[in-house]
Amino acid sequence: MDKKTLERYKPLKRELLMIDKQISKLEERREELPVVMGKVQSSDHEFPYTERRVSVQMYEPKEADKIDREIVRKRARKRQIESEMEEIKEFIENMPEGEDRQVFELYYLEGMKQREVADIVGLEQSSISKKITTYLQLSYNS
């Protein structure tokens, strides 16, 4: 794991919230679409399975399909983001308990500034940066 990947956690978290809102709005838009009568094919439940056309109520098909495709695309991106975030969380959770892990949790997962982390942990601000760099170098080399 490198710093760039770890630093993506906070922007990914923001993007995830944004995508959730967008999906909700798309679902609301779909519910507001006009209902039209459409014809679909069906078959009898018993043998012989005779095909027939049935009229059903449905949302305006072209617009509903467009919205559904967008929802599918947004949900795929959401799964991708969740996967990236989980990878970062697992890296930090697999760190041994202690000061290093606390620094990583506060700085990367909680999104605190190095000064804030230093105050909580009881170190100098410059020590926070050094701890992060040293731990990542050690984990990369092992």
Side-chain angles (χ1 to χ4, degrees):
M1 185 75 53
D2 60 358
K3 279 186 180 181
K4 273 188 175 181
T5 305
L6 288 166
E7 288 170 351
R8 286 196 31 79
Y9 187 83
K10 193 173 178 182
L12 288 171
K13 196 173 180 180
R14 279 194 306 266
E15 186 179 354
L16 189 62
L17 292 172
M18 185 178 68
I19 286 176
D20 283 337
K21 287 179 186 176
Q22 291 171 341
I23 289 172
S24 293
K25 285 182 181 180
L26 286 167
E27 288 170 343
E28 287 173 15
R29 258 183 54 206
R30 184 176 51 201
E31 295 296 320
E32 293 171 359
L33 288 175
V35 176
V36 296
M37 293 301 289
K39 295 198 182 241
V40 295
Q41 284 187 338
S42 74
S43 61
D44 292 332
H45 295 290
E46 298 175 15
F47 188 77
Y49 302 110
T50 309
E51 284 190 16
R52 58 190 165 147
R53 289 190 167 268
V54 179
S55 294
V56 295
Q57 288 186 341
M58 61 177 71
Y59 294 118
E60 198 284 311
K62 287 183 182 178
E63 192 62 29
D65 285 346
K66 180 179 166 187
I67 291 171
D68 287 341
R69 280 193 303 274
E70 187 65 18
I71 289 172
V72 166
R73 193 177 67 74
K74 297 280 185 194
R75 286 187 177 147
R77 176 64 183 145
K78 181 179 177 177
R79 284 190 300 276
Q80 181 184 10
I81 290 170
E82 290 169 337
S83 173
E84 288 180 50
M85 289 175 70
E86 189 59 34
E87 187 179 323
I88 294 168
K89 280 183 193 175
E90 283 179 20
F91 174 78
I92 294 173
E93 288 170 0
N94 289 331
M95 292 173 70
E97 287 291 334
E99 203 171 66
D100 288 344
R101 180 175 173 173
Q102 188 178 12
V103 166
F104 274 74
E105 286 175 345
L106 294 171
Y107 185 67
Y108 291 110
L109 299 183
E110 300 297 322
M112 292 182 171
K113 303 220 180 298
Q114 287 185 3
R115 183 179 351 93
E116 297 169 322
V117 174
D119 290 341
I120 291 171
V121 179
L123 297 171
E124 296 285 325
Q125 181 178 347
S126 60
S127 299
I128 300 301
S129 181
K130 288 176 188 171
K131 275 192 167 299
I132 292 170
T133 302
T134 302
Y135 188 86
L136 290 175
Q137 285 175 345
L138 290 173
S139 68
Y140 181 76
N141 291 334
S142 58

